Amino acid sequence: MPDQPVTDPSSPAPAVRQGSARRQFAATILVLEVLVVAFASLVAFGLRVAPPSVVWGIGGALALSLALSAGLLRSPAGYVAGSVLQVALLATGVAVPMMFVVGAIFVVLWVVALRLGGRIDRERAERAQATALG
């Protein structure tokens, strides 16, 4: 059995850098929406609301856009793209009416993620500043 490093209990714990809560929440919503779009595409395909190539083309493009915007959340452009895609998700209700309800729920979740995540990030920054000052 290899030797385990001995830690000094009096030494302070290493600082753990936490990611942005806003980015984590927003990315989670966008990734969940990818799954919702995939299932909505299956429903649209099963109901034959359009030719299969149209259903899968639009569904695939929307799902890919949502996934890419989740990766872009390191910059403000990712949040703008995510917000625009919320409108596109609502628009899928034209083909599958239940998506108006599902899309509205995700729009509310998106707004809550941005607001709550931003508030958590501000509170973390204030706490870190207060700790640093003394």
Side-chain angles (χ1 to χ4, degrees):
M1 186 158 129
D3 292 329
Q4 297 293 327
V6 178
T7 58
D8 182 13
S10 64
S11 66
V16 177
R17 185 171 181 267
Q18 294 180 340
S20 167
R22 181 179 179 210
R23 185 170 67 216
Q24 290 173 351
F25 291 166
T28 300
I29 297 301
L30 291 171
V31 170
L32 288 173
E33 287 176 339
V34 169
L35 297 173
V36 167
V37 167
F39 287 120
S41 297
L42 284 170
V43 170
F45 175 75
L47 294 176
R48 300 175 196 259
V49 297
S53 59
V54 173
V55 169
W56 294 116
I58 292 173
L62 183 55
L64 182 63
S65 299
L66 288 162
L68 289 175
S69 67
L72 291 175
L73 291 176
R74 294 185 187 274
S75 71
Y79 294 99
V80 172
S83 297
V84 169
L85 289 171
Q86 299 308 307
V87 176
L89 184 68
L90 274 173
T92 61
V94 171
V96 180
M98 190 62 193
M99 284 302 293
F100 284 127
V101 175
V102 174
I105 291 169
F106 273 100
V107 167
V108 169
L109 289 173
W110 177 254
V111 171
V112 169
L114 296 183
R115 293 182 56 118
L116 183 61
R119 188 171 82 198
I120 290 171
D121 289 341
R122 281 190 303 280
E123 290 174 0
R124 282 181 182 171
E126 290 169 2
R127 188 176 315 118
Q129 185 179 10
T131 303
L133 293 176

